[in-house]
Amino acid sequence: MAILDQSRHILAKILGPLLISVSILVVFFFGGEAYQQFGIEFFDSTTTVVKNVLGVIGFFSLAVLANRLIRYVIFEGFVASATGTPVPRLLLQISSLIIYAIAISACARIVFNQDLTFLWAASGVAGLVLGMALKELLQDVFAGIALNIDRAVRIGDWIQIHKSGDERTIGQLMEISWRSTRVRDLRGDMLSFPNSKFSSFTISNFSLPEEVSNRSIFILLECSVPVDQAFRILQAAALDALLELIGPDVPVPTVAVSGVKIDGVEYMIGFKSQWQFLLPGTRAIYKHVLIHLAKAGLRPAGRALTVADRADQEWVQNKPSPIRLSSLLDQAQIFDGLPTSGIDELIARARKVRIPSGHVVIQAGEAGAEMYVVQEGLLDTLDPMKLASSTSNKPSVIRPGDTFGEQVALVGFPHRRTIRARTDVLLLEINGNALQHLLETMPGALEILARNLAHTGVMGNASNDEDLPQALARQIMHMFPGVQPLNPKTDERGRESNH
C-alpha cells in the first residue's frame, strides 16, 4: 500500500510538466508554420512573440520534468532505497540548479539566438566579483558538497561533534543545506552550524558501522554484599529500566566486577541500545538500581556513610528475614491488612528458592500448592489466551515485592500464565502448610485473604462481583479443612454454614 501511494505521488508530480512538454512539441512538430500564418493574418508582430513564449515554456516544462524525474525517481526512489537514508537536500538543490541553468542557456541560444560565448564570459566576470564578495558563503557551499560526497555522516545519524577544548555536542543530524548543517541535540533543540565550520569539527558517528551502541554504568556496593546477590539485583534493575524505556526485545544487560576499592566493590553494568536510548537509559538504570537496592535493604557504598550507617547496613544484610522480608510482604496486595505477627509467621515457614535466568518457573495450566514473593531479580509473564487472540500481546514484568500464584495456592485454580525468569531470581516460596497454619491460628485471616484475592483481579472479570469475596472464602475453606470463618454466614437455603 505504501509503494502504491508513493507511485501515485511520483506520477502526480511528473504528469503535469510531461503533458505541457508533449503538447508544445506536438504544436512545433505538426503545426509547421500554421501558428505563424495565424499570427500574420491578425497581427504580424505576434508571430515572434508566440514563438518565443512557446519556446520558453517548452524548455522550462522540460526542465521541470527532468528535475522531478531525477528527484523523485532517481534520488528518492533508487538512491534512497539503495542507501537506506534520505537524500541530502543539498544534492537535490545542486541538481535543480544545473538543470535550470541548462534550460536558461538553451532558451538563450535556440529561442533568442544569442551567442553563449558572450553570455558565459559575462557570467564569468560576474562570478569572479561575486566569489570575492561571497567568499564565506561559497566555502559553506563547497564544504556541504564535500560532506555529501565523503558520506562520513548521513541524514538521521547520531553524532558527537567538538573541537579541541570545546564543549561536546551530541545529537541527530537532520539536514545539510547550501549554507548550514542542522543537528537536533538530546534536549530537542535545533542547532545550526555553517558547513565550513561543521566540516572542521571532530565528528564521532555513533550510527556507523551499527545502529546499536554500548554503554557502561558503574555502581559501588559494600564489600559485605555477596557477589551473586549484587549481580542478581543490578542485572534485574538494569533490565527493568530498559524494558520500561525500550520494550520487550531489549537484550539482557551484563554485570561484571570492575574493581575493588577502599570504599567497596565496583560493579559495571553494560547494556546495548540504539543511540537515542543511551542517555535516557543510563538515567533510568540509575533510578531503578536505587529502587531495587532499597527493596533488598541495600544502598550504594561510599565515604559519605558514617560508622553507624555501615553498622546498620551490615546488620540488615546479615539478618534480612525479620526486617526486610516483613517489609516486603507487608507491601504485597494479597497481604494488605494482615497483622505483622501473621506476616512473621509466614516468613518463618517459607523457604528461599533461587531460579537461574531463562528458567520457566511456572507453566500455564499447571496446578500447585505454593505462592511466591519476589525478593530479587526480574520475571516476565505471558498469557496464552491473550497470545491466541492478539498478535500484540507483550509479556508483563514481575518485579521485587510482587507476588504470583495466589489463586493457585489459596483456591486451587490452575496457573493461567507462563512465568519465566528474565534474570537470576531469588523467590520466597510460601507453601500450603504455611497458609494452613496462618488460617487456623489467626482470626480474620480468611476474610482478609479472600477480600484481597478478589481485589487483585487474578480471578478475571468476576472480580467486580460483590459476592466474590464470600465465594472465595468458601473455596479457601474447602482447600484448607478445619479453617473456620470469623463470622459464620448462612448458605443459599438459609441454614448456618457448617464449614
Side-chain angles (χ1 to χ4, degrees):
M1 191 66 180
I3 297 177
L4 182 60
D5 293 338
Q6 185 179 8
S7 302
R8 290 176 178 173
H9 175 70
I10 294 174
L11 184 61
K13 292 290 186 181
I14 295 175
L15 191 59
L18 178 61
L19 291 176
I20 295 175
S21 302
V22 171
S23 301
I24 294 175
L25 290 175
V26 167
V27 170
F28 271 98
F29 186 78
F30 294 103
E33 298 296 325
Y35 70 93
Q36 293 186 14
Q37 186 64 33
F38 174 82
I40 292 172
E41 290 178 358
F42 290 93
F43 200 79
D44 186 64
S45 63
T46 60
T47 302
T48 304
V49 175
V50 171
K51 175 184 175 183
N52 292 343
V53 170
L54 289 176
V56 171
I57 293 175
F59 278 113
F60 273 94
S61 62
L62 286 173
V64 172
L65 176 62
N67 182 48
R68 294 188 176 182
L69 284 172
I70 291 175
R71 175 174 181 175
Y72 294 107
V73 177
I74 297 178
F75 279 150
E76 296 187 2
F78 297 112
V79 176
S81 300
T83 60
T85 57
V87 177
R89 184 179 174 185
L90 181 58
L91 292 183
L92 301 176
Q93 294 170 337
I94 291 176
S95 65
S96 299
L97 178 63
I98 294 174
I99 291 171
Y100 287 116
I102 294 174
I104 292 173
S105 300
C107 288
R109 181 68 184 91
I110 298 174
V111 178
F112 298 102
N113 297 317
Q114 297 296 319
D115 186 5
L116 294 182
T117 304
F118 175 77
L119 179 64
W120 288 117
S123 63
V125 174
L128 180 62
V129 175
L130 289 175
M132 295 177 64
L134 305 175
K135 177 182 176 182
E136 293 185 0
L137 178 61
L138 292 176
Q139 285 180 346
D140 294 334
V141 171
F142 285 103
I145 295 174
L147 286 171
N148 284 283
I149 294 175
D150 187 46
R151 300 289 290 173
V153 290
R154 304 166 300 177
I155 303 300
D157 285 354
W158 288 88
I159 60 175
Q160 174 181 273
I161 53 178
H162 68 96
K163 275 189 174 182
S164 179
D166 288 352
E167 182 180 355
R168 298 173 185 264
T169 299
I170 298 175
Q172 187 178 24
L173 182 64
M174 305 303 296
E175 182 184 47
I176 301 177
S177 63
W178 282 99
R179 185 177 180 276
S180 62
T181 299
R182 293 177 176 84
V183 177
R184 187 188 303 276
D185 66 11
L186 296 176
R187 294 178 296 182
D189 298 331
M190 187 69 74
L191 308 179
S192 181
F193 303 92
N195 288 337
S196 57
K197 183 178 180 180
F198 183 83
S199 62
S200 66
F201 285 145
T202 299
I203 303 175
S204 301
N205 193 336
F206 299 110
S207 298
L208 292 175
E210 298 179 354
E211 293 291 335
V212 177
S213 300
N214 299 319
R215 177 60 60 90
S216 297
I217 298 174
F218 297 91
I219 301 293
L220 193 66
L221 299 179
E222 290 288 323
C223 295
S224 57
V225 179
V227 175
D228 60 340
Q229 183 186 21
F231 275 41
R232 185 167 54 241
I233 294 173
L234 297 179
Q235 187 179 50
L239 181 59
D240 192 8
L242 297 177
L243 286 172
E244 185 178 289
L245 179 67
I246 301 174
D249 297 328
V250 65
V252 177
T254 59
V255 180
V257 175
S258 175
V260 179
K261 301 184 177 182
I262 189 171
D263 301 320
V265 180
E266 185 178 60
Y267 295 89
M268 180 184 70
I269 304 173
F271 69 99
K272 296 181 179 180
S273 75
Q274 294 181 337
W275 174 252
Q276 61 265 37
F277 296 120
L278 288 183
L279 184 59
T282 300
R283 295 169 176 168
I285 289 175
Y286 278 126
K287 170 187 171 183
H288 281 76
V289 163
L290 293 176
I291 293 174
H292 281 246
L293 286 175
K295 291 277 188 179
L298 303 173
R299 54 185 165 182
R303 290 188 177 91
L305 291 180
T306 64
V307 175
D309 291 333
R310 292 177 186 270
D312 178 66
Q313 191 174 46
E314 290 176 2
W315 185 84
V316 171
Q317 293 164 10
N318 295 331
K319 296 183 178 180
S321 297
I323 297 178
R324 179 157 53 94
L325 295 182
S326 179
S327 175
L328 202 64
L329 266 67
D330 187 56
Q331 298 175 21
Q333 186 176 3
I334 188 64
F335 300 123
D336 183 32
L338 200 65
T340 304
S341 58
I343 292 177
D344 292 340
E345 288 290 335
L346 286 176
I347 293 173
R349 287 169 171 77
R351 72 183 186 98
K352 294 182 180 180
V353 179
R354 287 178 172 82
I355 307 295
S357 173
H359 182 75
V360 175
V361 182
I362 289 173
Q363 190 72 41
E366 289 181 346
E370 301 84 17
M371 63 172 294
Y372 299 91
V373 181
V374 183
Q375 285 187 248
E376 299 165 2
L378 213 64
L379 305 97
D380 59 18
T381 70
L382 194 62
D383 192 333
M385 299 299 294
K386 292 182 179 179
L387 184 62
S389 62
S390 173
T391 57
S392 62
N393 180 40
K394 295 181 180 180
S396 58
V397 180
I398 301 179
R399 300 176 172 87
D402 292 344
T403 61
F404 59 92
E406 307 96 304
Q407 78 279 12
V408 179
L410 289 173
V411 297
F413 288 180
H415 290 281
R416 293 190 299 107
R417 306 173 298 172
T418 297
I419 299 179
R420 177 189 58 169
R422 286 297 300 269
T423 66
D424 291 346
V425 178
L426 180 63
L427 304 176
L428 190 69
E429 182 185 86
I430 302 175
N431 58 24
N433 293 332
L435 293 172
Q436 178 85 34
H437 179 80
L438 175 70
L439 292 168
E440 289 179 350
T441 59
M442 177 158 291
L446 172 64
E447 288 74 14
I448 291 173
L449 293 179
R451 183 188 68 243
N452 292 339
L453 186 62
H455 292 165
T456 58
V458 296
M459 309 307 296
N461 294 332
S463 60
N464 296 323
D465 190 348
E466 294 181 358
D467 296 330
L468 182 60
Q470 289 79 11
L472 290 175
R474 290 194 293 270
Q475 182 65 23
I476 293 173
M477 288 189 293
H478 177 75
M479 289 288 297
F480 298 93
V483 176
Q484 296 295 326
L486 188 61
N487 296 313
K489 300 292 183 179
T490 58
D491 60 17
E492 293 81 356
R493 293 169 294 181
R495 296 176 300 178
E496 184 173 314
S497 173
N498 295 320
H499 289 292

